[in-house]
Amino acid sequence: MYNRRKFIRATAFSLGAGLTAAQAASATATSNTNTDINGIESKPSGQPLKNTAAIISPVVISTWDAGLEANKAAWTILTNEGRALDAVERGVMVTEESLNCCVGLGANPDRDGIVTLDACIMDEAFNCGAVAFLERIKHPICVARRVMEKTPHVMLVGEGAQQFAQAEGFTLEPKVLSKTAQASYEEWLKRSNYRSPRINIENQKGHGPFAPAKLPNGEWNHDTIGMLALDMFGHLSGSCTTSGAGFKMRGRVGDSPIIGAGLYVDNEVGACVATGQGEDVIRVAGASMVVEAMRQGRSPEAACQALIERVIRIKKEKAKDIQVAFLALDNKGNTGAYAIHPGFSYALRSATEEKLIVAKSYFT
Ligand code: GLY
């Protein structure tokens, strides 16, 4: 079994050739055991689908500039016979533990000064898990995966999610803000002007719910990290994690932990993840509708564009004030994205490329 998998990898990478459907299906059959990245044995999250794809060269994409670093971690897994599910979990953990405004415990708090985190994950066989309104846990994406694998449920929130995380061995981190978040919060408190989020547009002007615009390391900020991967066995998976809108109302949850809105994966077609103003992603069931648009024959970019145009039709004039972007990957490894406003980019890693791609947008 081991040798056969090695052979398949060698074929895919050194000869640059695709697998035959029979080889891919056979490889799929060998990939159905699972020790998760925390070293804890868990049952397989689902029976892999019978794979019919002929070319299985791994790809990973993720939202915003931070995706470049996150992709590196995912790529290591993808090129070592790993599952897309493990890759998308490990990849976004990099962003969760980095200092940034909008993902992980170092991010901006809600208007009561508390960081609350949302995340979800989905594999190739419609298994999915999510957490929302979760406090003091460093890696919400790992808790989302445990919800998927260890409970009969899809989503746990708030105190219940935290209790579950602790029962699963996750450490409760101190209830303190990062230095950057503390400074941003104190600045925000001077005005305390709560209003609905105007994501990303204002980031680039240095204020707004996802401020600060520029991080100490010079990177532009972002509101979410969403990641999609296709592994060498032809399996798609996706992950999404965020602290949501900075200085949000206590209890506010956006699209990021909502399966079908912030993330959706259907291995027969493709996968999609959303970023930007969550309320406007939820109202169009964004990610799942992008996947449906791909099912009807649209390319990943055209499918993302179709949903952005739907958001704009619904929001009318107000569309000028919001940013939403969709990022999609089909089951053949084609990628695409589309945003309402300029400024959204995504990171791509494949056997031949490692780069940031600027997405097209409705407004220019
Ligand atoms: N897209 C992130 C949020 O709205 O919370």
Side-chain angles (χ1 to χ4, degrees):
M1 176 163 74
Y2 178 78
N3 287 342
R4 182 170 179 76
R5 291 178 72 189
K6 285 278 184 215
F7 165 74
I8 287 164
R9 187 166 67 140
T11 306
F13 288 98
S14 65
L15 302 180
L19 306 182
T20 65
Q23 281 173 324
S26 168
T28 294
T30 68
S31 67
N32 193 21
T33 53
N34 190 18
T35 301
D36 79 14
I37 59 172
N38 301 300
I40 294 169
E41 267 191 28
S42 57
K43 63 182 185 309
S45 57
Q47 292 303 311
L49 298 179
K50 252 199 164 167
N51 199 308
T52 53
I55 297 172
I56 317 291
S57 184
V59 183
V60 58
I61 51 175
S62 52
T63 54
W64 304 103
D65 310 30
L68 285 171
E69 277 310 302
N71 284 358
K72 287 188 204 301
W75 189 246
T76 302
I77 291 174
L78 292 172
T79 49
N80 280 284
E81 307 174 358
R83 291 183 71 190
L85 181 67
D86 293 325
V88 298
E89 180 184 17
R90 185 70 195 92
V92 301
M93 284 172 71
V94 171
T95 320
E96 285 182 338
E97 62 201 18
S98 72
L99 179 66
N100 68 78
C101 66
C102 312
V103 178
L105 287 177
N108 284 335
D110 65 16
R111 65 182 183 178
D112 290 6
I114 300 163
V115 178
T116 69
L117 303 174
D118 307 329
C120 73
I121 193 160
M122 187 163 187
D123 76 4
E124 77 284 353
F126 298 99
N127 297 297
C128 45
V131 288
F133 196 46
L134 177 62
E135 292 175 20
R136 299 177 62 188
I137 299 289
K138 193 170 174 187
H139 289 299
I141 195 65
C142 301
V143 186
R145 181 165 174 178
R146 296 290 175 86
V147 171
M148 172 175 107
E149 293 184 336
K150 301 267 182 84
T151 80
H153 309 301
V154 166
M155 183 182 255
L156 292 177
V157 305
E159 230 179 274
Q162 196 188 64
Q163 274 170 17
F164 170 73
Q166 284 181 277
E168 284 292 308
F170 290 83
T171 307
L172 214 50
E173 303 292 336
K175 202 171 183 171
V176 287
L177 296 182
S178 67
K179 266 191 183 161
T180 323
Q182 182 68 38
S184 303
Y185 184 52
E186 280 166 19
E187 196 53 37
W188 179 82
L189 279 177
K190 288 180 190 161
R191 286 171 290 139
S192 301
N193 59 334
Y194 185 76
R195 55 187 165 68
S196 67
R198 297 177 69 201
I199 285 165
N200 300 127
I201 300 170
E202 290 187 337
N203 285 352
Q204 296 177 19
K205 295 181 194 154
H207 52 92
F210 287 83
K214 261 201 169 174
L215 305 173
N217 65 7
E219 272 180 22
W220 283 106
N221 71 7
H222 50 87
D223 69 290
T224 300
I225 178 132
M227 179 175 279
L228 305 171
L230 176 68
D231 65 29
M232 63 184 293
F233 307 108
H235 294 151
L236 290 164
S237 289
S239 61
C240 191
T241 177
T242 188
S243 58
F247 323 117
K248 62 196 174 187
M249 269 179 83
R250 184 131 181 88
R252 181 265 186 190
V253 171
D255 60 311
S256 299
I258 314 266
I259 297 294
L263 173 70
Y264 199 67
V265 178
D266 181 339
N267 220 84
E268 278 188 2
V269 180
C272 174
V273 70
T275 180
Q277 185 150 307
E279 286 74 5
D280 294 307
V281 175
I282 293 170
R283 72 178 101 249
V284 295
S288 61
M289 286 297 144
V290 169
V291 170
E292 288 313 298
M294 288 196 281
R295 195 191 306 279
Q296 288 158 15
R298 287 184 174 86
S299 69
E301 182 183 296
C304 293
Q305 181 176 355
L307 259 290
I308 288 296
E309 286 170 356
R310 187 173 299 173
V311 173
I312 288 165
R313 272 200 304 280
I314 292 166
K315 296 296 285 186
K316 301 190 177 69
E317 275 303 296
K318 289 182 185 157
K320 290 205 177 91
D321 290 337
I322 58 162
Q323 174 68 307
V324 170
F326 294 109
L327 172 62
L329 168 66
D330 72 19
N331 65 5
K332 296 179 183 61
N334 301 305
T335 70
Y338 206 83
I340 295 180
H341 292 278
F344 173 63
S345 49
Y346 71 94
L348 166 85
R349 183 91 193 243
S350 70
T352 53
E353 292 178 299
E354 182 177 15
K355 62 181 180 182
L356 204 59
I357 298 174
V358 176
K360 290 184 193 157
S361 56
Y362 184 84
F363 295 109
T364 50

